[in-house]
Amino acid sequence: MNTVFELNRLPSPVLTRIITYSDPATWWSIENRSVRALINSTSFRCGWVAHLAKRTNIPALVTCIEDIDTHICSVLEPVAHITGSHSWITQNFVRALGTNHPESLNIISLALLRTLLLNGKLDTASMVVQHTNVKLDVLDGQFVRKLVSQFSELWMLQWLATNGLDFSDIYNRGNCFGVSQLIDWVTSDRIELLQFLADRGLQLPVRSLIEYALGYSEPKLVEFLMFHDAENACELSWNDVLMMACTEASTNLNVFACVVRMTEPSIVWTFAALCLASHAMVDSYAYDKFITLRNMPDAAAWIVKSTRGRTPIECLCERLTYENLTYISPFVRDFIELGVSTANMPSIMSALCQ
């Protein structure tokens, strides 16, 4: 303790140099208030990090953030080990390091950028980009995907774009914005994130996403996906989506109503009505969806049409089983009410429809 007391009497720059060139973690463990105050200071941390940076072997050419050797991150970890986190990497620290040790700031810029982004400290990350030579093209798809998964927020995507990340390029390189990530955005109704990608010319896998949007999102998102698809590959028509919505028991009623409104009176309504009836056993809202379809202008004239020489009632009765008998009967009653012939209808069905 006497030694520490004597050292405390040394000028701050001298003590800083002694602690920096030995082991700051050991000095920290002494629990001396003056020593800890020194180690906690921005000036000390700048000198310490600069010292560690000079001893770090930087790869000759860094083309990807994952190329950074573990030694580079080790420049930051000793300080984090003492503080318990990376909260010490503040704008004041970056500014002071850039002023007093600009070469060191450039050496560890990528390590700083990586750490700050993963901790969501975008203001400080912006300062690193502005005051160093680091470019965001070193961020690969895997790292961006990790960021986007961790922060599914528009502000992260906007920051990356504002600071020079070419989303089109990184998307085409793969390992970024996988279908599973986009599905998460669809099921959580994050249309603003999908819109961000679409605005940058990225082609979304609409067919895969629509299947989830029908059951887990709102009409606005379904309309967005279809509009995006129309601008690109035109893989789907609203008629296609209507048939998908009829077979998916999870389709929301409000989404189903939206899809129906986007279609026009045609034979597809005949198939849609039959499809809903056929899936009534597994879809508790099948009849409500049928009513939505039936209430459309001119729908009645189409949903009663015969297909391949069979009336809608005959088609349903061909699929009749003991288990689905009660599920199908409400649809058959409506077909009868709309004037469909009851010819060839089983007697048990006739009894139920009385």
Side-chain angles (χ1 to χ4, degrees), residues 292-349:
T292 298
L293 179 63
R294 179 178 169 175
N295 288 338
M296 288 292 290
D298 301 320
W302 283 99
I303 63 177
V304 299
K305 284 190 175 294
S306 299
T307 57
R308 297 170 187 159
R310 293 171 298 169
T311 68
I313 290 178
E314 288 177 312
C315 290
L316 281 180
C317 288
E318 286 177 1
R319 306 170 189 177
L320 187 63
T321 64
Y322 178 78
E323 289 78 12
N324 69 13
L325 184 63
T326 55
Y327 295 97
I328 286 179
S329 57
F331 296 88
V332 175
R333 288 193 196 98
D334 275 43
F335 281 128
I336 292 173
E337 184 180 319
L338 292 169
V340 177
S341 170
T342 59
N344 302 320
M345 190 168 72
S347 56
I348 188 171
M349 181 61 77

Side-chain angles (χ1 to χ4, degrees), residues 245-320:
C246 292
T247 58
E248 281 292 333
S250 63
T251 302
N252 291 333
L253 275 171
N254 57 344
V255 171
F256 183 83
C258 165
V259 174
V260 170
R261 287 195 303 271
M262 290 297 185
T263 60
E264 297 179 357
S266 67
I267 194 68
V268 74
W269 284 7
T270 309
F271 290 108
L274 282 171
C275 192
L276 288 168
S278 300
H279 288 82
M281 191 171 173
V282 295
D283 184 357
S284 57
Y285 291 101
Y287 187 68
D288 299 287
K289 294 169 185 174
F290 179 86
I291 295 301
T292 298
L293 179 63
R294 179 178 169 175
N295 288 338
M296 288 292 290
D298 301 320
W302 283 99
I303 63 177
V304 299
K305 284 190 175 294
S306 299
T307 57
R308 297 170 187 159
R310 293 171 298 169
T311 68
I313 290 178
E314 288 177 312
C315 290
L316 281 180
C317 288
E318 286 177 1
R319 306 170 189 177
L320 187 63

